[in-house]
Amino acid sequence: GAVVSQHPSWVICKSGTSVKIECRSLDFQATTMFWYRQFPKQSLMLMATSNEGSKATYEQGVEKDKFLINHASLTLSTLTVTSAHPEDSSFYICSADNRQGIYEQYFGPGTRLTVT
Amino acid sequence: KNEVEQSPQNLTAQEGEFITINCSYSVGISALHWLQQHPGGGIVSLFMLSSGKKKHGRLIATINIQEKHSSLHITASHPRDSAVYICAVLSGTYKYIFGTGTRLKVLA
């Protein structure tokens, strides 16, 4: 099946710094990539939808200036958490979809961010 | 009320038991996805369904479009099946609506 990778798998950063998380589709070109956030024992919450070469579409309540998304190619999207604060500590998951044939989204393994 | 409801929320079973996890939804969908999330957080796609039934190993997923209901069955459960199982539906646009998950623990 299709593989989506994320890097790093975990990161600890100090409050006020910025952190970049990469999401790559390894064996297919993704039409769209999605960024989710998950708090402990809660379900995934969609943050934004990212299309290659265009601006991301953010869900209501998600600060686009804080969570910068860049989708430079059909296989790479990045999420940058700017000026991170402890409340940004969470599990961030990306997915990529393949609209060739039967639609499916493939999920990355996630990135655990801890802001101290 | 959530658009996607799962039951039970938590489930503890003995090894070897037959397990059923249910998902009901209230919106029109184009497909339903069963996902497995292990304690480390990584998500594995189990099934994508738009009708009928699918089987993979010890896992079986069924969907009834008219009743807006899907079930995930695990036969001969094993401790390694312990995980959170998430039902997600595709409705309209290419966005998922996620259920809150079922936390399964299988005891040896």
Side-chain angles (χ1 to χ4, degrees), chain B residues 10-22:
Chain B
N10 295 284
L11 178 58
T12 301
Q14 291 294 326
E15 183 173 0
E17 285 186 8
F18 180 84
I19 289 164
T20 296
I21 299 170
N22 296 298

Side-chain angles (χ1 to χ4, degrees), chain B residues 30-83:
Chain B
S30 55
L32 182 145
H33 209 155
W34 280 103
L35 307 167
Q36 180 192 55
Q37 186 171 32
H38 278 281
I43 291 180
V44 174
S45 172
L46 298 177
F47 295 104
M48 186 81 145
L49 292 163
S50 55
S51 65
K53 176 180 175 178
K54 286 189 177 180
K55 184 177 189 293
H56 186 260
R58 296 181 294 106
L59 301 178
I60 303 166
T62 63
I63 188 168
N64 185 317
I65 297 294
Q66 287 74 30
E67 294 185 4
K68 296 189 174 180
H69 181 269
S70 175
S71 292
L72 176 68
H73 306 285
I74 305 175
T75 61
S77 60
H78 190 276
R80 64 175 174 266
D81 296 326
S82 298

Side-chain angles (χ1 to χ4, degrees), chain A:
Chain A
V3 178
V4 175
S5 71
Q6 278 184 245
H7 179 79
S9 54
W10 60 270
V11 58
I12 301 172
C13 72
K14 291 188 176 179
S15 189
T17 62
S18 295
V19 174
K20 181 186 282 188
I21 302 170
E22 291 185 350
C23 177
R24 291 181 186 272
S25 57
L26 297 185
D27 51 0
F28 68 100
Q29 293 184 328
T31 308
T32 305
M33 289 182 168
F34 304 83
W35 286 97
Y36 300 91
R37 184 174 182 175
Q38 186 180 34
F39 290 107
K41 297 194 176 182
Q42 293 188 24
S43 194
L44 283 74
M45 182 193 79
L46 179 65
M47 299 174 67
T49 303
S50 169
N51 291 294
E52 183 261 340
S54 63
K55 289 184 179 180
T57 303
Y58 290 81
E59 295 299 300
Q60 195 171 11
V62 178
E63 299 175 62
K64 60 183 178 184
D65 293 332
K66 180 165 186 62
F67 298 100
L68 300 178
I69 292 173
N70 183 275
H71 195 152
S73 75
L74 286 172
T75 59
L76 173 65
S77 176
T78 60
L79 168 69
T80 301
V81 182
T82 62
S83 187
H85 287 278
E87 56 264 32
D88 298 324
S89 299
S90 188
F91 192 61
Y92 293 87
I93 302 172
C94 75
S95 70
D97 72 7
N98 182 353
R99 300 185 191 180
Q100 305 294 322
I102 298 173
Y103 180 80
E104 186 156 359
Q105 278 189 33
Y106 303 96
F107 290 86
T111 297
R112 187 162 303 282
L113 169 64
T114 302
V115 184
T116 60

